[in-house]
Amino acid sequence: MTPVLGSSVDVPTEDGVADAYLAHPADGAPRPGVLLYQDAFGLRPHLRAMADRIAGAGHTVLVPNLFYRQGRAPVVELPEFIDPSARPEIFEKLGPVIRELTDERAMRDADAFLGWLAQSPLVSDGPVALTGYCMGARLALLTAGHRPDRVAAAAGFHGGRLATDQPDSPHLVAGKVTAELYFGHADDDPSLPPEQIERLEQALTEAGVRHRCEVYEGARHGFTQADTAAYSEEGAERHWAALLDLLDRTF
């Protein structure tokens, strides 16, 4: 693994300033950019560690606090080990914060994050890659359709509500996507039932999007997150192999 440096940065947006974590190889040379979209629990030590691992493979990684409108991270105080079944008040506090992040706001933010990466001397010229977790998987797909000129590849893991029957469903952007996509779905995930998995696959195939969608058997929603009760070491390592393979192919 390449030695990595990490630091806190502020990213100006149309609605304020988003605090973020930036990880990059220590030599300071420009590398392909990766925008990492958080899960519902937000920017915290575990996501910083994930960014460090991606940076160690030769990338410059930005992890913004998507909830910056409510304050700097952590917006909601979290225990070191997150078990929502034992601490139901976590989601009671997070629910309103998540609902505040509308798709319109999220895509305004995406423009800011992608623009910041494009201007950074630590990021090489050209489009970037996205990886997202839980709610971040949804945002990765939306961003790939919103800014196809800036996104070369996008991955999403244990995403929810990716292909609903609503008019704002993320799968409806498939016709605008030019990036290669990869999705690693959690098995038996209430937020992504089989009919949504099938609908997503059909939409991507009919749109001619280069993609692969896989269900990780036995993995729960949130399986990549080592600081939560949903973590699966097997599923997480499979995710790392798939993600890094996608980045290697892209860059």
Side-chain angles (χ1 to χ4, degrees), residues 56 74 76 86 110 117 127 146 163 168 188 211 238:
V76 172
L117 286 168
H146 174 68
D168 62 347
D188 192 22
H211 72 280
R238 181 177 173 184

Side-chain angles (χ1 to χ4, degrees), residues 39 41 44-47 79-83 224-229 231:
D39 63 355
F41 299 121
R44 60 194 192 280
H46 173 63
L47 288 191
E80 287 187 18
F81 182 76
I82 303 167
D83 183 356
T224 62
Q225 304 300 298
D227 60 348
T228 75
Y231 177 66

Side-chain angles (χ1 to χ4, degrees), residues 115-187:
W116 191 93
L117 286 168
Q119 295 295 319
S120 172
L122 295 169
V123 179
S124 51
D125 293 338
V128 304
L130 315 172
T131 184
Y133 303 88
C134 182
M135 59 175 274
R138 185 175 186 276
L139 296 180
L141 177 53
L142 287 172
T143 303
H146 174 68
R147 288 298 304 272
D149 59 317
R150 291 291 300 134
V151 180
F157 299 92
H158 46 83
R161 298 174 56 245
L162 296 177
T164 71
D165 57 4
Q166 298 301 305
D168 62 347
S169 178
H171 80 287
L172 297 175
V173 307
K176 300 177 182 179
V177 173
T178 58
E180 180 179 352
L181 303 183
Y182 176 89
F183 289 98
H185 304 311
D187 189 19

Side-chain angles (χ1 to χ4, degrees), residues 6-233:
S7 61
S8 296
V9 298
D10 286 341
V11 179
T13 75
E14 284 192 33
D15 297 335
V17 176
D19 51 310
Y21 179 70
L22 182 70
H24 60 89
D27 61 11
R31 304 297 176 95
V34 177
L35 174 59
L36 191 160
Y37 277 130
Q38 66 180 55
D39 63 355
F41 299 121
L43 180 56
R44 60 194 192 280
H46 173 63
L47 288 191
R48 295 183 180 93
M50 295 184 78
D52 289 347
R53 183 163 175 175
I54 298 170
H59 307 280
T60 295
V61 188
L62 181 69
V63 192
N65 166 26
L66 301 181
F67 301 147
Y68 70 89
R69 292 173 180 84
Q70 279 72 41
R72 300 179 74 85
V75 173
V76 172
E77 186 176 347
L78 298 169
E80 287 187 18
F81 182 76
I82 303 167
D83 183 356
S85 65
R87 298 282 300 276
E89 74 277 7
I90 294 174
F91 269 124
E92 291 174 8
K93 294 176 181 177
L94 281 172
V97 176
I98 294 170
R99 288 190 289 273
E100 282 284 314
L101 186 63
T102 62
D103 291 349
E104 181 183 1
R105 287 178 172 178
M107 292 305 99
R108 284 207 305 269
D109 291 345
D111 287 335
F113 303 146
L114 294 171
W116 191 93
L117 286 168
Q119 295 295 319
S120 172
L122 295 169
V123 179
S124 51
D125 293 338
V128 304
L130 315 172
T131 184
Y133 303 88
C134 182
M135 59 175 274
R138 185 175 186 276
L139 296 180
L141 177 53
L142 287 172
T143 303
H146 174 68
R147 288 298 304 272
D149 59 317
R150 291 291 300 134
V151 180
F157 299 92
H158 46 83
R161 298 174 56 245
L162 296 177
T164 71
D165 57 4
Q166 298 301 305
D168 62 347
S169 178
H171 80 287
L172 297 175
V173 307
K176 300 177 182 179
V177 173
T178 58
E180 180 179 352
L181 303 183
Y182 176 89
F183 289 98
H185 304 311
D187 189 19
D188 192 22
D189 185 346
S191 70
L192 195 74
E195 60 268 23
Q196 286 198 40
I197 293 176
E198 183 177 342
R199 189 179 292 140
L200 175 64
E201 176 69 38
Q202 182 177 352
L204 296 177
T205 299
E206 290 180 353
V209 177
R210 291 169 297 151
H211 72 280
R212 189 160 87 251
C213 299
E214 298 181 320
V215 176
Y216 290 25
E217 292 186 11
R220 298 163 59 190
H221 181 84
F223 62 82
T224 62
Q225 304 300 298
D227 60 348
T228 75
Y231 177 66
S232 161
E233 182 176 3

